Amino acid sequence: MKRIVSVSLGSSRRDHSFETEFMGVKFYIERIGTDGDWNRAIDLIRELDGKVDAFGMGGIDLYVYIAGKRYVIKDARRLMNEARKTPMLDGSGLKNTLERKCIMDIQRDGIMDLKGKRVLMVCAVDRFGMAEAFEEIGARLTLGDFIYTVGVPIPMHSLRTLRILGSVAAPFIVNMPFDKLYPTGKEQDVIIPKHSKYYYLADVLAGDFLYIRRYLPEKLNGQVIITNTTTREDMQMLKKRGISKVITTTPDMGGRSFGTNVIEAIMVTLMGRPIDKISPADYFSMLQELNLKPGVVNLEEFSA
């Protein structure tokens, strides 16, 4: 049995383990949160390095992509450098492929007609492929990267604007302490409604779940969320706050959806090749073979 361990800077309350099978290969998948403790995360990686088949890097990305250019998040290197024997994946190699495909599947399969819908992406730079797919389909985008990530109240409504402003800001942002950019540890359990008007105006809230959750208003009016890494507890909370449906880019695994870092770790394990020998076309080909479909939860019918 192959073993995948996602080492996350996030809350240990979201830990989960699950056995499953892909392409005839059995997997034991485990998510271990370190509550924002960098030293604990490093110790865990050192302990398991060479003993598991692949690591997922949870709660932080190594790269963000803007208009095809890759920017390295400085703090993420601290974790990546500790995995000397076992490959460590943050999901960035897969996001542009998987999440783009997910949006196209939602439209093509009639899950939801996204054309003309008002879509708020709280942060688009870590989901650039998803943002491009929304724009291609004809959704009306509001990109909240500056509003919610660095606290500058500038909404953007096109990827062209994000490309221009993002390319200027990205070299500085990726060198900031990561906990200033993204909730880690116990901060992931805190919800602080902020600039709520953009949530109320949206038909769809899309992107990283913890970003969406972080600023979620007390009561919404039937919005749909397109995201991943959700738990049953999250679904209960979203139902109470007026969300009508949750569509996840990764399938349900034992009662929750895992992040792209886990799916990428599974794929790399199945391919059995060095990471630098795997191309976007390889990921797309395996996605087709695995036939991963969006998960859909109608919260009006959801019960604990």
Side-chain angles (χ1 to χ4, degrees):
M1 181 179 291
K2 303 294 186 181
R3 185 183 178 193
I4 307 293
V5 176
S6 177
V7 178
S8 176
L9 289 170
S11 170
S12 58
R13 291 179 64 248
R14 301 176 69 83
D15 284 357
H16 186 65
S17 61
F18 184 63
E19 289 186 18
T20 189
E21 184 174 307
F22 288 98
M23 297 174 63
V25 179
K26 292 183 178 180
F27 283 86
Y28 179 75
I29 300 166
E30 187 175 10
R31 187 264 193 198
I32 304 175
T34 63
D35 297 311
D37 187 331
W38 288 83
N39 290 329
R40 185 179 165 205
I42 288 169
D43 288 344
L44 189 59
I45 294 166
R46 288 175 177 172
E47 176 189 340
L48 295 175
D49 192 26
K51 300 176 183 177
V52 299
D53 294 281
F55 287 117
M57 180 189 286
I60 187 170
D61 292 328
L62 180 60
Y63 306 112
V64 293
Y65 292 85
I66 301 177
K69 186 169 183 180
R70 187 174 75 177
Y71 298 87
V72 180
I73 295 176
K74 182 181 177 182
D75 274 353
R77 286 192 181 275
R78 295 170 58 187
L79 301 182
M80 185 66 73
N81 290 341
E82 295 298 332
R84 294 178 169 85
K85 300 175 183 178
T86 298
M88 174 171 273
L89 296 311
D90 72 329
S92 59
L94 181 61
K95 280 180 185 176
N96 284 347
T97 307
L98 172 65
E99 296 186 343
R100 179 189 298 275
K101 178 180 179 296
C102 173
I103 300 305
M104 295 303 182
D105 285 346
I106 291 169
Q107 185 72 18
R108 186 189 62 245
D109 297 344
I111 296 171
M112 181 179 183
D113 184 3
L114 295 169
K115 186 175 182 179
K117 291 293 189 294
R118 296 168 296 182
V119 177
L120 170 63
M121 294 192 70
V122 176
C123 180
V125 293
D126 73 330
R127 295 291 192 281
F128 205 83
M130 177 184 282
E132 286 181 322
F134 277 123
E135 189 170 76
E136 183 177 335
I137 283 171
R140 297 159 57 191
L141 285 170
T142 296
L143 310 176
D145 295 65
F146 285 105
I147 300 170
Y148 297 104
T149 303
V150 293
V152 179
I154 302 176
M156 295 173 284
H157 298 287
S158 74
L159 291 182
R160 181 176 181 274
T161 305
L162 179 61
R163 289 185 185 102
I164 295 169
L165 297 181
S167 62
V168 173
F172 302 98
I173 292 173
V174 295
N175 284 298
M176 293 173 62
F178 187 72
D179 58 6
K180 301 296 183 185
L181 301 172
Y182 188 84
T184 60
K186 294 180 179 179
E187 287 298 308
Q188 293 185 347
D189 297 326
V190 179
I191 299 177
I192 308 170
K194 183 178 179 182
H195 299 292
S196 296
K197 67 178 181 179
Y198 299 110
Y199 278 75
Y200 292 127
L201 290 171
D203 302 304
V204 176
L205 309 172
D208 181 273
F209 179 69
L210 290 176
Y211 262 131
I212 294 171
R213 182 185 187 277
R214 177 73 167 172
Y215 306 109
L216 197 67
E218 286 287 339
K219 196 67 175 178
L220 286 162
N221 50 3
Q223 281 82 351
V224 173
I225 289 181
I226 302 177
T227 189
N228 62 3
T229 63
T230 52
T231 66
R232 291 188 66 82
E233 185 180 65
D234 294 328
M235 297 296 184
Q236 294 166 15
M237 179 273 294
L238 293 173
K239 182 175 182 177
K240 289 178 182 177
R241 292 193 177 224
I243 299 298
S244 64
K245 183 181 294 184
V246 177
I247 303 172
T248 58
T249 60
T250 54
D252 182 278
M253 295 184 186
R256 65 160 291 166
S257 59
F258 280 94
T260 50
N261 69 90
V262 169
I263 303 301
E264 187 176 2
I266 291 169
M267 288 183 163
V268 168
T269 301
L270 289 170
M271 290 182 201
R273 302 205 304 272
I275 299 170
D276 59 2
K277 302 296 183 183
I278 300 174
S279 69
D282 293 325
Y283 283 120
F284 184 78
S285 177
M286 181 157 282
L287 279 175
Q288 297 296 103
E289 192 168 354
L290 290 173
N291 195 31
L292 297 179
K293 293 292 186 181
V296 182
V297 180
N298 185 342
L299 293 184
E300 294 175 358
E301 302 170 358
F302 180 83
S303 60

